[in-house]
């Protein structure tokens, strides 16, 4: 069973990096629009805080989490936006404090979780390591939105390896959520990490292959960039289809981002 400590350490580092980006913002900059339609910087941080709170419930109070799932099922198209909006209405200092407290509470809960435990979620149940990985993925993805909104550049790190692994593991989910048959054979995935290391998955002789940079793959599976704007190569029809629908996050198919220069 996977030890959650390495990914929890990387989650803390990813969260701290985003925290440094927003900690000294003026109230006006918290209201700056981000690439997500209708979401400001405050909405992005509020969403992370809301999801951390839900994660803590999933780990520590599964009955309370089940009630949250019922709310989500009652308003499947609105519950994410509603949670972000409620948090974004708080004063920035309160929102920031809530986010910091929530992510600390989640880290403590996951570190204390019994070995082998699995926790309910809006998708399939997750282990402590998987939940930490999902939180790192979301923190990085929403951090990209914040950095874009503020005109900042977020340098990629080898923490992306967790998101790459999640993106590869959610291949079948992406096909299923789009109502498409799951490919029978594994794909070969070869991606170069920020430090230059090659990260590989799947059999070397696989017919369908995906190659390129780990950063571009992470931008794709978190739907922070359109495939047309990324240097990823697919060989084989199933791999090619996957790059059109890939998503590493739970829930219905994401709308993704338009190609650069496209008019919506």
């Amino acid at each position: 069973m996977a030890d959650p400590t390495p990914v929890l350490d990387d989650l803390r580092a990813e969260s701290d990096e985003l925290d440094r980006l927003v900690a000294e913002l003026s109230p006006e900059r918290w209201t700056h629009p981000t690439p997500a339609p209708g979401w400001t910087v405050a909405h992005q941080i509020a969403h992370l805080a809301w999801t951390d709170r839900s994660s803590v419930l999933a780990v520590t109070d599964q009955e309370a989490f089940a009630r949250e799932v019922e709310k989500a099922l009652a308003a499947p198209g609105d519950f994410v936006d509603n949670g972000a909006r409620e948090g974004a209405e708080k004063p920035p200092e309160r929102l920031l404090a809530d986010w910091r407290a929530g992510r600390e509470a989640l880290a403590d809960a996951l570190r204390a979780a019994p070995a082998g435990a699995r926790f309910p979620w809006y998708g399939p149940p997750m282990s402590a390591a998987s939940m930490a990985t999902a939180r790192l993925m979301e923190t990085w993805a929403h951090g990209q939105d914040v950095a874009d909104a503020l005109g900042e550049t977020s340098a990629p790190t080898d923490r992306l390896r967790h998101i790459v692994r999640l993106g590869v593991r959610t291949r079948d989910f992406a096909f299923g959520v789009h109502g498409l048959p799951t490919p029978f054979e594994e794909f070969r995935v070869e991606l170069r990490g920020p430090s230059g290391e090659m990260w590989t998955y799947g059999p070397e002789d696989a017919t369908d292959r995906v190659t390129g940079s780990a950063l571009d793959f992470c931008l794709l599976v978190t739907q922070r960039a359109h495939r047309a704007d990324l240097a990823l190569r697919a060989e084989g029809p199933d791999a090619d289809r996957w790059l059109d629908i890939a998503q590493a996050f739970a829930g219905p198919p994401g709308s993704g981002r338009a190609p650069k220069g496209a008019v919506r």
Side-chain angles (χ1 to χ4, degrees):
M1 60 191 69
D3 177 5
T5 301
V7 67
L8 282 169
D9 290 344
D10 282 348
L11 171 58
R12 179 185 294 275
E14 197 67 45
S15 299
D16 287 347
E17 184 172 321
L18 177 54
D19 195 313
R20 287 190 291 271
L21 195 59
V22 301
E24 303 300 327
L25 291 180
S26 65
E28 291 75 21
R29 298 201 81 189
W30 278 91
T31 65
H32 202 80
T34 69
W39 279 30
T40 65
V41 170
H43 284 82
Q44 299 284 349
I45 300 301
H47 173 70
L48 292 175
W50 175 86
T51 313
D52 285 342
R53 287 195 302 273
S54 292
S55 300
V56 171
L57 288 180
V59 176
T60 65
D61 189 343
Q62 296 185 7
E63 289 186 5
F65 179 74
R67 292 192 290 272
E68 293 301 308
V69 173
E70 290 176 2
K71 294 178 185 177
L73 293 174
D78 300 322
F79 81 103
V80 171
D81 284 337
N82 289 343
R85 185 181 64 253
E86 290 173 7
E89 292 172 350
K90 298 178 182 178
E93 62 275 11
R94 170 68 184 282
L95 173 56
L96 193 56
D98 286 351
W99 176 46
R100 288 169 175 168
R103 69 191 201 233
E104 198 67 34
L106 177 59
D108 290 344
L110 291 176
R111 290 184 191 278
R118 298 186 68 81
F119 309 105
W121 195 239
Y122 299 100
M126 293 192 287
S127 66
S130 294
M131 182 167 283
T133 300
R135 299 306 310 126
L136 191 154
M137 178 270 294
E138 279 222 70
T139 300
W140 179 82
H142 290 285
Q144 295 300 301
D145 291 341
V146 171
D148 288 346
L150 299 176
E152 301 286 346
T153 300
S154 180
T157 73
D158 278 358
R159 294 192 294 269
L160 292 179
R161 68 186 184 277
H162 302 295
I163 304 173
V164 166
R165 183 170 179 267
L166 182 61
V168 171
R169 293 184 65 188
T170 52
R171 183 201 73 167
D172 291 358
F173 167 76
F175 277 88
V177 80
H178 282 83
L180 299 172
T182 302
F184 180 73
E185 301 290 345
E186 287 187 72
F187 297 167
R188 176 68 170 181
V189 179
E190 299 178 351
L191 303 169
R192 189 167 299 280
S195 67
E197 183 181 358
M198 186 65 72
W199 300 336
T200 61
Y201 302 85
E204 292 186 18
D205 60 350
T207 301
D208 284 73
R209 310 171 71 85
V210 171
T211 57
S213 83
L215 173 60
D216 281 5
F217 183 78
C218 291
L219 290 168
L220 181 85
V221 299
T222 59
Q223 297 190 358
R224 261 48 192 183
H226 192 276
R227 177 185 178 183
D229 298 319
L230 301 172
L232 293 171
R233 180 183 177 190
E235 299 178 33
D238 287 335
D240 185 69
R241 182 60 173 151
W242 182 38
L243 295 192
D244 286 333
I245 62 172
Q247 72 176 61
F249 49 89
S255 58
R257 300 281 162 81
K260 290 180 180 177
V263 177
R264 281 191 163 181

